[in-house]
Amino acid sequence: MKLKFVLRLSRLFLNKIIIHLLFLSFLFPQINTETELEVRYGDSENDFNYSEVFVDSRFLFQNTDYMINGLLSFEQSYPPEIGLNENGLRKVLIGYYKDDLSVELGDVYQTWGRGLILNQVDYQNLDFDTGSRGFNLLLDKSEYSINILYGDVSVSQSTTVLGNYNPRKPNYFTNQSFYGFDYNKSFITANFGISFLAVENENNIDDHFLSNIRLEKFYNKGELYLSFAHKESHVNSQDFEQGNGFYLSNINSTDNWTFVTNYRRYRFNIQNPLNKGNIVNNHARALDIQQSPTGYYQHNFKLLSRNSKQVNLNDEVGIELEFARSFQNLNTLIINYIKSSSTTGWHLDENGAWQRESLTKTFNNNNSLFPSNDKDSYPYDEIFIEFNGYNENQRIFYTVGFDFLYDTFAVLSNSDLNESFEVKKVITIPLLMNISLNNKWNIEMQIEMQRAQKGFEIKNNNESSFSSLFGSKYQYNNFLSFSANYKQKWTFSFSHEVTNADESLISENHNINDLSNSWNSISIAHRFDSDDSLQIFYGSVRGGLDCTNGVCRYIQSFDDGLRIDYTSNFN
């Protein structure tokens, strides 16, 4: 009954949009319109319920000299999968585009300095949107470009610092207005750019000023990119704080090899372990609209992605090295190594107050240019090796991988007498095989095997010990999925995940010696034509960390429920 009501409501909602667009197209026959519909419904035993309707309507008027493009995005969610209830207009944009000039009014998204100063994104799966509603002017000549941006930004997040924490609903909101200027000069083999951004926080009387300078150099079989950002913050119109960030990327390639080096050093707002994750009271922290380059490998496998590292934009130094080697244009070997830490260590003095410690010393001077192995600086190490490719007739595609990571993600205590750090060590072996049986059937199988050790490394009076988060020493996770596709029309899928120790059960007062759990699901999907598709899912999905380009959020599990997704495109 509830599902019928949702579908009926979405149909009425869509009909209003279509009627308005048809009326517009009759008045102006030269206007092209397009409408996309997405309906999502979920109902589970653990009350992870949602019903969402999204309608994106676009219109295009094209002349020989210019083009006018518009977007109206509507959302009706009660409740959404993640976020707050919505009912009405979500996004609006109208733009005028000429050869070297574009003007946009409405919801605008821009990226300057590869995100070190500005990176506006809309990750709807994480309820994280840093787009601005305002004005965007871009003058793009052959040798230079000028971008002027003004707008208001509203960001919602979930944090345990405040009460009423719910992983599905935000409890902390910021409203900011900003204006910025970006200039980019193009040369034959290089690009040079500068940016300025002024931000005012409407929740309090904080204001920030950011500047960025960058250089991109192209050369034979490679490129070099450098970016530096400086940030000044006036907190409560009294305290003055400064921070900066530096990012370097270098790519070199030969006929068969590609070598990538990334280096980052972010010191926008250094905080001790007690205040490190406090987004409410750290007013001088990196802004949500920055989203600097992460430098972490973006995994596609389920268990690997769940262990993704969330970048610390305020205090982090890290390097990434990646080698890629192709063989006969059929197979590829990838070796990726990542190392990072905070730019400072932390030590408790005799009064129990946190004090900074330098990572290393160079010529008797404190040095924070390279990541450290000291646990009081949150060290992170990961090595990932992958071999993928096709067989000779290219009907079989396979991927075999190996991943090891070591992460110190909490400094609990570090004094002369005792130390306590929360750590995890994880080994994962992912396997994937996709086989094209004939011109009708295609099958894919994915297997992941993982062994994790999570707990606390403790040292008291020079005696070291390890206390596991679970009753057993290791956590074993295994994931299996199988799918079959028929004529690119029908897709049948099955997945199974099992563990001997699920950390989410600890907070639910389960027996610490029996935390085993499993999650099974089946789904069927049908593509009616190029514009319409339907997917029906029944089963369970394990909760955990969900990350997109360094932005992470905990997603609760979906237990024994039904999901229905329908998409349609009306041209």
Side-chain angles (χ1 to χ4, degrees), residues 469-487:
L469 190 62
F470 313 105
S472 57
K473 182 178 180 180
Y474 295 109
Q475 178 192 51
Y476 294 95
N477 303 305
N478 294 284
F479 176 80
L480 167 69
S481 68
F482 177 84
S483 65
N485 183 276
Y486 178 70
K487 288 185 174 181

Side-chain angles (χ1 to χ4, degrees), residues 116 229 231 242-245 266-270 284 286 290 313-314:
L116 197 57
K231 176 172 168 286
Q242 299 186 70
N244 56 71
Y266 304 145
R267 291 171 63 89
F268 287 108
N269 184 234
I270 300 174
Q290 288 185 258
L313 302 178
N314 294 293

